[in-house]
């Protein structure tokens, strides 16, 4: 514990930019992308990393948007490595040329996670909104050639959940050491497109059978991480391991968030340009607001799971009910659970994966109607 | 060649080393050794840190126990092997067969 009595954070998610050449309709980035154009400079990021290390951060996840769009990525990594941080790049792989990869390798980058949208080139490119499959496959091979361990990330939804077997086969073929199959979390663009993305219960059940069998078959060769779809569960996920407990996020503009989906929560802003990171972590109202269990309403307050899931995700509660201090509606004990149950029921009765309309992520929200939250 | 099956158990002649994606460092903020992987931070106790610092892919499990015996009063070879088996199962440690 730090002198303030608050736990020290382990991980920093650094969202370097919200720029991205892809258009994934499930993107968790905020819909109002234009509000985050004033990005921290190289020197500002370097200062943030030094402050984070001092605060106890050990792991740096470099993400976005597309972090490779930052020309100073290698410089930022070099600083992180000098500080003793474990560095992890989370990328769509667009821009990961052999030259760029070697530059990052030389800078000391520890680990690379490449996201793919599907195992079928046409489906991958349709979801990504741009031809990108071939480049991703080439980049994945390059990562292995350069001696990095390879993790593949796949966000799962109505359009690719039935393809898990093929996705796992592709991962095996690429020699992936790990694969993260993450069911979509409904923030940002994903929430806007929820009607088109939410899978049916039958799809979820089929997928779980495939994952279980693959885990047995590939044990010791490839690690399979499967993030359960919280809309289909009984209990919420322990978001971030608790508010202001283990992790923090710094977004492109320098605002510091306790959860990567907290952009629109009605909390006072805390920016690294105005305050030291230690003050933000230990004392800022945004981080103090939902620490511990004192803020909890019923049914969480008297629930025996309150230290296990911390009442779920504050951002999900806010996005679905307008009040960040309510029980996560994903929990079947929440008085607002009907919101989630209705969405799941609609997904069970909904159109086939191919017919559901989606709005691709764009720099400027066009207000296109179709499937909306 | 390293083999890392989860059912694998170590023998005295194996030469353990950290997997390439795993890093062992000292954290001055917590004053403890920590084991870092892409998705996890494990704060280590003194014994575990001492064992892992000796896992260089050259020393055998038996060598490691010998070094530890020179440093501490009581070292249980069985405990050392258990720790290495647990870490091998998580693919954080690789065993080069002796
Ligand atoms: C926002 S992306 C940024 C990095 C890079 N553009 C990419 O997509 O790989 C960070 C990670 O979150 C995943 N992701 C994006 N939207 C998500 C969502 N709604 N739910 C769960 N994971 C999501 C991506 O697949 C990626 O692994
Ligand atoms: S999830 Fe897709 S659209 Fe969003 S940042 Fe990553 S690649 Fe870009
Ligand atoms: S009532 Fe609250 S603490 Fe209990 S399981 Fe639901 S979300 Fe978790």
């Amino acid at each position: 514990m730090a002198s303030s009595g608050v736990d020290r954070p382990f991980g920093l998610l650094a969202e370097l930019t919200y720029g991205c050449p892809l258009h994934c309709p499930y993107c968790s980035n905020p819909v109002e992308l234009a509000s985050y154009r004033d990005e921290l400079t190289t020197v500002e990021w370097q200062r943030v990393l030094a402050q984070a290390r001092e605060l106890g951060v050990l792991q740096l996840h470099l993400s976005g948007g597309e972090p490779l769009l930052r020309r100073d990525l290698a410089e930022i990594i070099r600083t992180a490595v000098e500080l003793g941080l474990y560095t992890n790049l989370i990328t769509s792989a667009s821009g990961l040329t052999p030259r760029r990869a070697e530059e990052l390798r030389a800078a000391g980058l520890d680990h690379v996670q490449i996201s793919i949208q599907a195992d079928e080139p046409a489906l991958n490119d349709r979801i990504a909104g741009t031809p990108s499959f071939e480049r991703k496959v080439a980049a994945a091979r390059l990562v292995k050639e350069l001696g990095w361990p390879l993790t593949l990330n796949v966000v799962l939804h109505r359009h690719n959940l039935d393809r898990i077997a093929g996705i796992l086969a592709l991962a095996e073929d690429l020699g992936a050491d790990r694969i993260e199959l993450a069911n979509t979390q409904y923030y940002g663009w994903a929430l806007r497109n929820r009607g088109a993305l939410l899978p049916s219960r039958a799809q979820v059940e089929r997928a779980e059978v495939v994952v279980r069998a693959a885990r047995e078959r590939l044990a010791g060769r490839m690690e399979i991480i499967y993030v359960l779809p919280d809309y289909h569960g009984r209990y919420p996920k322990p978001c971030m391991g608790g508010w202001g407990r283990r992790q923090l996020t710094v977004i492109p503009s320098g605002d510091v968030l306790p959860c990567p989906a907290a952009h629109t929560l009605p909390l006072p802003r805390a920016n690294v340009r105005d305050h030291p990171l230690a003050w933000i972590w230990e004392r800022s109202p945004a981080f103090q607001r939902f620490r511990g269990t004192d803020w909890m309403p019923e049914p969480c307050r008297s629930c025996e799971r309150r230290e296990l899931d911390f009442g779920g995700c504050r951002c999900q509660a806010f996005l679905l009910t307008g009040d960040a201090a309510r029980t996560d509606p994903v929990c079947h004990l929440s008085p607002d659970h009907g919101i989630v149950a209705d969405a799941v029921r609609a997904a069970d009765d909904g159109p086939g994966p191919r017919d559901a309309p989606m709005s691709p992520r764009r720099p400027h929200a066009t207000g296109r109607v179709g499937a909306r939250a | 060649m390293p083999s890392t099956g989860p059912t694998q158990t170590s023998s005295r002649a194996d030469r353990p080393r950290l997997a390439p994606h795993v890093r062992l460092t000292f954290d001055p903020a917590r004053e403890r050794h920590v084991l870092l992987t892409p998705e996890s931070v494990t704060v280590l106790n003194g014994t575990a840190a001492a064992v892992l610092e000796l896992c260089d892919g050259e020393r055998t499990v038996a060598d490691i126990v010998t070094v530890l015996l020179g440093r501490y009063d009581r070292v249980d070879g069985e405990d050392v092997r258990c720790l290495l088996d647990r870490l091998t199962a998580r693919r954080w440690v690789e065993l080069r067969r002796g």
Side-chain angles (χ1 to χ4, degrees):
Chain A
M1 253 185 230
S3 52
S4 60
V6 169
D7 287 333
R8 292 179 177 279
F10 287 106
L12 168 63
L13 174 65
E15 295 188 331
L16 298 179
T17 176
Y18 283 144
C20 182
L22 271 55
H23 308 284
C24 312
Y26 60 72
C27 185
S28 54
N29 283 176
V31 176
E32 292 304 328
L33 289 165
S35 324
Y36 306 93
R37 292 245 174 89
D38 180 19
E39 295 179 0
L40 296 183
T41 63
T42 314
V43 174
E44 284 173 317
W45 274 114
Q46 288 168 325
R47 194 184 65 221
V48 169
L49 297 185
Q51 293 181 358
R53 185 66 194 85
E54 211 168 303
L55 193 55
V57 167
L58 291 161
Q59 256 170 336
L60 174 67
H61 304 283
L62 297 151
S63 186
E66 180 45 64
L68 286 164
L69 286 178
R70 288 280 303 218
R71 301 314 305 178
D72 54 358
L73 182 60
E75 217 173 322
I76 292 172
I77 290 171
R78 219 169 295 128
T79 302
V81 171
E82 277 164 18
L83 288 164
L85 292 163
Y86 188 102
T87 50
N88 181 29
L89 177 68
I90 307 175
T91 177
S92 70
S94 59
L96 197 60
T97 58
R99 236 190 67 212
R100 199 80 198 282
E102 272 157 34
E103 185 198 13
L104 302 181
R105 187 84 182 128
L109 178 65
D110 289 297
H111 187 256
V112 183
Q113 299 189 227
I114 293 182
S115 58
I116 58 168
Q117 279 66 13
D119 59 312
E120 264 184 346
L123 180 59
N124 179 96
D125 294 352
R126 191 162 66 86
I127 296 170
T130 186
S132 50
F133 184 79
E134 296 306 334
R135 257 183 290 131
K136 285 168 187 283
V137 167
R141 296 200 196 282
L142 182 61
V143 162
K144 290 296 287 188
E145 275 163 32
L146 289 178
W148 270 309
L150 173 67
T151 295
L152 291 183
N153 288 354
V154 189
V155 177
L156 300 173
H157 44 76
R158 198 172 180 86
H159 301 254
N160 64 5
L161 200 56
D162 294 322
R163 300 213 49 91
I164 286 198
I167 289 168
L168 286 165
L170 173 65
E172 249 190 289
D173 179 52
L174 292 172
D177 301 275
R178 301 166 71 243
I179 183 164
E180 282 191 30
L181 299 165
N183 277 283
T184 305
Q185 295 179 345
Y186 294 96
Y187 307 130
W189 292 87
L191 184 57
R192 161 176 290 221
N193 285 309
R194 189 180 68 187
L197 293 172
L198 200 64
S200 69
R201 208 166 271 285
Q203 279 185 295
V204 169
E205 281 163 15
R206 283 197 298 271
E208 277 165 18
V209 173
V210 178
V211 169
R212 224 173 296 130
R215 274 211 179 119
E216 263 178 47
R217 188 167 58 81
L218 297 170
R221 275 190 287 152
M222 185 165 85
E223 187 183 352
I224 303 175
I225 295 128
Y226 183 71
V227 181
L228 292 164
D230 62 352
Y231 269 57
H232 295 81
R234 281 163 64 77
Y235 297 110
K237 60 182 187 307
C239 184
M240 308 309 291
W243 187 268
R245 233 173 132 237
R246 305 178 62 88
Q247 298 204 52
L248 66 164
T249 299
V250 178
I251 67 171
S253 56
D255 281 0
V256 189
L257 307 179
C259 166
H263 302 75
T264 55
L265 258 60
L267 292 171
R269 296 169 124 217
N271 194 291
V272 294
R273 286 178 168 154
D274 308 324
H275 300 283
L277 203 59
W279 179 86
I280 295 174
W281 175 260
E282 289 166 9
R283 305 196 192 287
S284 70
F287 275 81
Q288 290 290 37
R289 179 68 181 87
F290 298 114
R291 266 207 176 103
T293 53
D294 286 350
W295 60 271
M296 284 184 176
E298 291 297 348
C300 297
R301 178 171 281 277
S302 53
C303 177
E304 58 185 25
R305 290 180 58 91
R306 66 180 181 273
E307 305 269 357
L308 292 177
D309 63 29
F310 315 103
C313 177
R314 295 305 87 226
C315 305
Q316 184 144 273
F318 174 72
L319 292 168
L320 296 182
T321 73
D323 180 357
R326 287 181 78 77
T327 297
D328 187 337
V330 147
C331 180
H332 72 295
L333 302 170
S334 152
D336 306 307
H337 185 62
I339 301 170
V340 168
D342 287 348
V344 170
R345 212 169 301 120
D348 286 339
D349 305 337
R354 287 191 173 274
D355 315 321
M358 293 192 284
S359 26
R361 177 199 136 130
R362 297 255 176 251
H364 298 288
T366 52
R368 181 190 144 176
V369 283
R372 282 198 331 130
Chain B
M1 210 194 116
S3 53
T4 53
T7 52
Q8 196 181 14
T9 52
S10 55
S11 80
R12 293 170 47 80
D14 287 337
R15 300 167 198 279
R17 66 168 176 214
L18 291 181
H21 66 289
V22 175
R23 201 130 61 76
L24 174 70
T25 73
F26 183 75
D27 175 15
R30 295 180 179 77
E31 300 180 338
R32 297 280 284 277
H33 278 88
V34 289
L35 200 61
L36 305 175
T37 79
E39 292 306 319
S40 70
V41 176
T42 309
V43 181
L44 300 170
N45 63 29
T47 326
V51 172
L52 288 174
E53 274 183 318
L54 295 169
C55 292
D56 58 2
E58 297 300 326
R59 290 190 186 85
T60 63
V61 176
D63 293 339
I64 292 172
V65 174
T66 310
V67 176
L68 293 173
L69 278 170
R71 283 199 214 156
Y72 303 97
D73 289 345
R74 276 184 312 171
V75 176
D76 185 343
E78 197 48 42
D79 287 351
V80 173
R81 263 199 300 279
C82 265
L83 171 73
L84 290 173
D85 288 347
R86 273 205 313 280
L87 296 172
T88 309
R90 302 205 63 166
R91 306 187 72 207
W92 291 351
V93 165
E94 295 177 347
L95 299 175
R96 282 204 305 144
R97 282 272 117 118

